[in-house]
Amino acid sequence: MQFQENIRPYGASAVAERSVLRNVYIWMTLGLGITGAVALYVAGNPQLIRTIIMNRGLFFGIIIAQLALVFLLSARVHAMSPTAATLAFAGYSVLNGVTLSTIFLVYTAASISQAFFVAAATFGVLSFYAVTTKRDLGGLGQYLFAGLIGLIIASVVNMFLGSSSFEYAISFFGVFLFMGLTAYDTQIIKNWSRQLGSSADEADYMRVSIMGALKLYLDFINLFLFLLRFMGNRR
């Protein structure tokens, strides 16, 4: 089943919408829990984290594997079995936990906790707004996409410039960009749930839930990371 990112109203069952959104939030929370547990485990194992950081081939291999899983889910989730989609999402959560473990070497634990709770509160408010508002947020899509491309380009440029003030500006912009994406993606998921007709089976609901969870998971993680860069205290 293919899903459209068109956010025009569909006359679909409110029960289906609530069911999908509930499952999306459950799977997203499970994914974040897996990521957090793995990150804490790796960060608490000096030998393991040293091996990952010092072995550049391994580190970049993990990043490439993460990207591959995201592209796989984004492009093929409609053709995957629910089990395969779930395993791909769980695998991505594990790998992301490995790479995120490095933030414990850069930022204080207090800063990480503060950024996490601010991100959680912000995410919750924006996602709730997107679920309850009658406003169509579809018009934001092209601007958010353009902003995302600009953010990527600016981040790559600053890898060579190494400007702390430019990094601060990028982080500030990134926070607001992923705030917008959180609301936008939540409404996209609402739209997906409305496309599930009477012919949809449990597998279709599961695929929508996993893909929606991945979208919101990525929004939350990026919101958290940009908040951490913006307000975090380095060791």
Side-chain angles (χ1 to χ4, degrees):
M1 181 176 184
Q2 296 276 10
F3 309 113
Q4 304 298 320
E5 295 196 358
N6 180 335
I7 311 184
R8 293 185 175 85
Y10 282 73
S13 167
V15 175
E17 182 179 308
R18 288 195 297 270
S19 176
V20 168
L21 288 172
R22 181 178 64 250
N23 288 337
V24 164
Y25 290 126
I26 288 173
W27 281 109
M28 173 199 162
T29 302
L30 287 173
L32 290 173
I34 292 171
T35 297
V38 172
L40 286 170
Y41 174 78
V42 175
N45 190 322
Q47 182 60 41
L48 179 57
I49 197 168
R50 189 180 302 113
T51 299
I52 294 169
I53 293 174
M54 298 302 293
N55 189 329
R56 300 189 67 179
L58 174 61
F59 185 77
F60 285 109
I62 292 172
I63 292 176
I64 291 171
Q66 287 179 255
L67 293 173
L69 285 172
V70 170
F71 285 126
L72 174 66
L73 280 168
S74 300
R76 299 292 299 166
V77 68
H78 61 279
M80 297 171 70
S81 69
T83 300
T86 302
L87 289 175
F89 178 65
Y92 176 78
S93 300
V94 169
L95 293 176
N96 203 30
V98 174
T99 54
L100 284 181
S101 64
T102 57
I103 66 175
F104 290 94
L105 302 178
V106 180
Y107 297 95
T108 64
S111 291
I112 294 171
S113 298
Q114 183 182 33
F116 177 83
F117 286 115
V118 172
T122 303
F123 179 93
V125 169
L126 290 168
S127 196
F128 178 78
Y129 167 76
V131 169
T132 57
T133 186
K134 297 184 183 300
R135 182 182 177 186
D136 182 358
L137 303 179
L140 297 176
Q142 58 184 334
Y143 301 107
L144 292 170
F145 180 74
L148 185 60
I149 297 300
L151 182 68
I152 293 171
I153 293 173
S155 299
V156 171
V157 169
N158 200 45
M159 288 175 61
F160 298 97
L161 295 179
S163 170
S164 57
S165 57
F166 193 30
E167 180 181 359
Y168 189 80
I170 290 171
S171 300
F172 183 79
F173 178 73
V175 167
F176 283 95
L177 176 65
F178 282 98
M179 286 173 64
L181 281 167
T182 295
Y184 176 77
D185 285 340
T186 299
Q187 208 172 77
I188 282 177
I189 295 164
K190 277 185 62 178
N191 182 59
W192 286 351
S193 70
R194 292 170 178 176
Q195 294 180 43
L196 292 171
S198 58
S199 61
D201 57 19
E202 187 175 343
D204 290 324
Y205 277 88
M206 190 63 177
R207 293 185 190 102
V208 174
S209 299
I210 292 296
M211 194 60 220
L214 177 64
K215 271 185 172 290
L216 294 187
Y217 172 99
L218 291 172
D219 290 337
F220 180 88
I221 289 293
N222 281 286
L223 177 61
F224 162 68
L225 289 175
F226 280 113
L227 277 169
L228 184 60
R229 292 171 188 169
F230 183 71
M231 60 190 289
N233 294 319
R234 294 176 180 266
R235 291 183 179 276

